Amino acid sequence: MSEPDTDKRRLQMFDLARSIEERADEPLTLASLAQEVGLSPSRLQKVFKDVLGVSPKAYQNAARMRHFKQSLRQGSGVTDAIFESGYGSVSRVYGEGKRSMGMTPTAYRAGAEGERISYAYRNTSLGLVMMAATNEGVCFVQFDDTAESLLEALQREFPRANLSVSSAQDAPELDQWIEALDCHIDNAAPKPDIPLDIRGTAFQIKVWNFLQSIPEGSVLSYSDVAKGIGKPKATRAVGTACGKNRIGLLIPCHRVLRGDGQLGGYRWGLERKQALLAMESQRTPQPADQT
């Protein structure tokens, strides 16, 4: 497939993703979605996953869960939020909700009160990093100069949770994840495939999901991201969403620059942003010279 055709197909998948987001509460099937874009179901499954990183069904499930979380944050009762978001039963959302949130819906509405979040630190070439996770996914990856300031930041993000240092006995996955992230930063290992527990407004989550589709070694402008999520006038809001990102590297907001090519902002310092982009550029194969 030629480059223009690839770009066209990519944009088509982004459009389909937005459509799924808007209809997340409806009973969509792979066959009906494939018919909408003129592909076979198996071809759609492959192309959509290549572009978005997940299948259309997984994308819809995630969108439905985001709508459910938003309803909870806006004050809806748990049962009302369940049916407003398109879930067919209370038992189903409690099972899926715990997998997606790392906690029950009621606990999420209460601000993670009483829930356990484990955390760990590592020294990397970019400085001290903390990773924290619920039972089912990473909810926090941040850099700072001291362990104390990182712990304070985690407490501000999750003031009602029970925070504890990760141990191999209680949370071996977290230790493995942070080791994999450390290897990614320092030793050019591939970005680890780590489950994320993403929380934010519907707009922020849309931006953060899009950022995960930017390949290593590539950069976009804030305007590009706004267009990519179907909100071309929301450039400033995209910048704000990048600044609110609490999961560094795994949600790669460092790959977004100002329209003039300047670095723009970065929550963890412009030196780190520049270093990350330089490392990614060096280990990304460059196209052969055609001249």
Side-chain angles (χ1 to χ4, degrees):
M1 185 181 294
S2 67
E3 186 172 340
D5 288 340
T6 300
D7 290 342
K8 182 179 178 181
R9 185 68 78 194
R10 183 181 177 84
L11 291 173
Q12 185 183 39
M13 292 302 102
F14 286 143
D15 287 341
L16 181 60
R18 287 193 290 272
S19 176
I20 293 172
E21 184 92 27
E22 293 166 357
R23 298 178 291 161
D25 60 337
E26 299 179 15
L28 305 176
T29 66
L30 184 62
S32 65
L33 293 173
Q35 188 172 17
E36 290 179 23
V37 295
L39 296 174
S40 68
S42 60
R43 180 62 178 163
L44 172 61
Q45 183 91 337
K46 182 181 187 307
V47 175
F48 193 94
K49 191 167 185 177
D50 286 345
V51 173
L52 277 300
V54 295
S55 68
K57 181 63 176 175
Y59 191 90
Q60 183 186 7
N61 288 342
R64 184 177 289 170
M65 181 55 64
R66 289 194 294 271
H67 294 172
F68 175 64
K69 291 180 180 181
Q70 185 177 23
S71 294
L72 293 179
R73 285 193 297 269
Q74 291 172 346
S76 296
V78 172
T79 302
D80 289 341
I82 287 171
F83 291 103
E84 287 169 4
S85 304
Y87 289 103
S89 69
V90 173
S91 60
R92 181 179 174 192
V93 76
Y94 266 76
E96 186 169 331
K98 188 166 179 60
R99 287 192 299 274
S100 299
M101 297 180 183
M103 59 188 70
T104 66
T106 302
Y108 183 84
R109 186 171 183 240
E113 185 172 4
E115 291 297 320
R116 179 176 177 182
I117 295 178
S118 297
Y119 62 88
Y121 305 96
R122 288 291 187 278
N123 283 304
T124 72
S125 59
L126 296 174
L128 186 66
V129 65
M130 173 194 272
M131 178 184 286
T134 62
N135 290 337
E136 297 296 335
V138 170
C139 60
F140 181 99
V141 177
Q142 296 199 19
F143 294 93
D144 213 321
D145 296 328
T146 67
E148 291 76 12
S149 57
L150 282 168
L151 183 55
E152 288 172 2
L154 181 64
Q155 289 168 334
R156 285 195 300 270
E157 296 284 359
F158 306 102
R160 300 181 181 179
N162 291 331
L163 308 178
S164 62
V165 177
S166 170
S167 68
Q169 179 178 352
D170 295 329
E173 295 83 7
L174 180 57
D175 292 311
Q176 293 165 9
W177 294 342
I178 203 166
E179 290 285 3
L181 183 62
D182 190 20
C183 288
H184 173 62
I185 295 171
D186 288 346
N187 300 320
K191 190 183 83 169
D193 184 13
I194 295 174
L196 303 182
D197 183 355
I198 301 175
R199 311 177 194 184
T201 66
F203 180 84
Q204 288 170 344
I205 290 172
K206 185 173 290 189
V207 170
W208 297 337
N209 282 336
F210 183 88
L211 296 184
Q212 293 178 75
S213 72
I214 304 175
E216 180 174 292
S218 299
V219 293
L220 295 177
S221 69
Y222 295 103
S223 177
D224 291 333
V225 175
K227 293 174 184 175
I229 63 170
K231 303 287 185 181
K233 297 181 180 180
T235 300
R236 186 181 296 272
V238 165
T240 300
C242 289
K244 296 287 187 181
N245 174 25
R246 66 173 64 87
I247 305 177
L249 302 184
L250 301 177
I251 298 178
C253 56
H254 62 277
R255 295 176 188 160
V256 186
L257 309 178
R258 283 173 26 181
D260 60 4
Q262 298 298 307
L263 290 177
Y266 192 54
R267 183 171 183 171
W268 302 286
L270 291 183
E271 288 185 2
R272 285 193 178 98
K273 183 172 186 175
Q274 191 167 32
L276 279 167
L277 292 173
M279 284 193 296
E280 292 182 351
S281 177
Q282 288 172 3
R283 65 195 188 209
T284 301
Q286 301 299 312
D289 189 348
Q290 299 298 316
T291 61

